Amino acid sequence: QICTQARKVSFEVDPSRKFIAVKQWYNWTVATRGRKPGSLWEQTLIFPEDTRYFFSTDRVTSVNAVKNLALRVDMPGHLKHNGGDSFSDIYLSYHGTIPNTEFLDDFPPDARFRYVRHHNPLPERMIRAYKTRPGAWLAGMTLNPQVVSEAWCHQRSYVCFIQEMGPEEIQAGESFSVDYIIGFFDSVEDMEEVYDDNSDTSS
């Protein structure tokens, strides 16, 4: 689990006149079920000039042959709050808008607001966002909805936004990647417009 165990990742920064690119990477030092450690996670972040959002790509290269390789991320990030004081609404493209009052008491991932591929209809866009106070939306948008196998939005003293990509059948040395847009938007329509402008160029 990189977010809690890695402590430090390698990185490099490539500045440009129009954007800043940041690449970071980490080799997993632990493996389970007799597999070899050393699989590589790489993330590329592109921060364009004069925008409130950025582009992100996660890429995993496995040193093992794995039938069901998955990657989990917090998208757009876990949401800390005290009685809903830090947000007014949550928006899930596969569900709709949810008021903060739905997150006052803890509930498990499979109780409400869970997305499961092949169980729920495939959404046109995979957008998960919350409306901050005083009012901008912070959104995490996965540019290929089909890559998302499961997504949680449940309460466990904070709102947990874990999202799973894959699983993929991977041979040793092979990779899979996922593209996102993350940032602040004025409205759901604003998110959708940026999503649609960029989804066809996702790779």
Side-chain angles (χ1 to χ4, degrees):
Q1 189 172 356
I2 295 174
C3 62
T4 60
Q5 302 299 320
R7 299 184 183 275
K8 183 179 180 180
V9 297
S10 302
F11 72 94
E12 59 185 28
V13 179
D14 181 14
S16 167
R17 281 197 261 175
K18 296 296 183 181
F19 62 87
I20 294 176
V22 179
K23 182 177 181 180
Q24 47 192 358
W25 61 92
Y26 178 77
N27 289 93
W28 277 282
T29 59
V30 176
T32 60
R33 301 181 182 179
R35 299 186 179 113
K36 296 185 296 183
S39 293
L40 175 65
W41 166 80
E42 299 171 280
Q43 185 178 72
T44 301
L45 308 174
I46 304 293
F47 297 89
E49 189 175 51
D50 298 327
T51 69
R52 294 190 295 167
Y53 57 84
F54 62 93
F55 300 89
S56 174
T57 296
D58 282 327
R59 180 181 178 89
V60 175
T61 303
S62 177
V63 297
N64 301 282
V66 183
K67 287 186 177 180
N68 295 290
L69 184 63
L71 175 68
R72 289 181 177 178
V73 300
D74 307 332
M75 182 62 60
H78 292 331
L79 171 55
K80 294 183 179 180
H81 67 98
N82 183 8
D85 60 342
S86 61
F87 73 105
S88 60
D89 298 281
I90 283 175
Y91 173 74
L92 308 173
S93 58
Y94 46 87
H95 183 89
T97 302
I98 310 163
N100 62 359
T101 51
E102 293 288 332
F103 298 90
L104 301 183
D105 299 312
D106 288 357
F107 59 90
D110 57 351
R112 284 180 280 168
F113 315 131
R114 181 187 179 198
Y115 171 82
V116 180
R117 187 173 59 202
H118 305 315
H119 177 76
N120 299 93
L122 180 69
E124 182 180 359
R125 309 172 185 89
M126 181 58 70
I127 300 176
R128 287 144 59 80
Y130 60 87
K131 194 172 187 180
T132 65
R133 299 184 186 275
W137 289 90
L138 176 59
M141 309 193 293
T142 306
L143 291 178
N144 180 3
Q146 298 184 47
V147 77
V148 179
S149 57
E150 196 164 351
W152 295 268
C153 182
H154 66 284
Q155 171 68 23
R156 47 177 297 182
S157 76
Y158 58 87
V159 181
C160 179
F161 273 108
I162 288 178
Q163 178 176 295
E164 180 177 282
M165 275 68 64
E168 298 279 348
E169 183 171 355
I170 295 290
Q171 300 302 313
E174 291 184 343
S175 306
F176 80 91
S177 61
V178 188
D179 300 328
Y180 320 95
I181 297 175
I182 305 161
F184 290 97
F185 299 88
D186 293 327
S187 64
V188 172
E189 292 75 19
D190 189 18
M191 303 176 213
E192 293 176 341
E193 181 178 355
V194 171
Y195 190 106
D196 294 344
D197 285 346
N198 290 278
S199 59
D200 288 342
T201 61
S202 160
S203 61

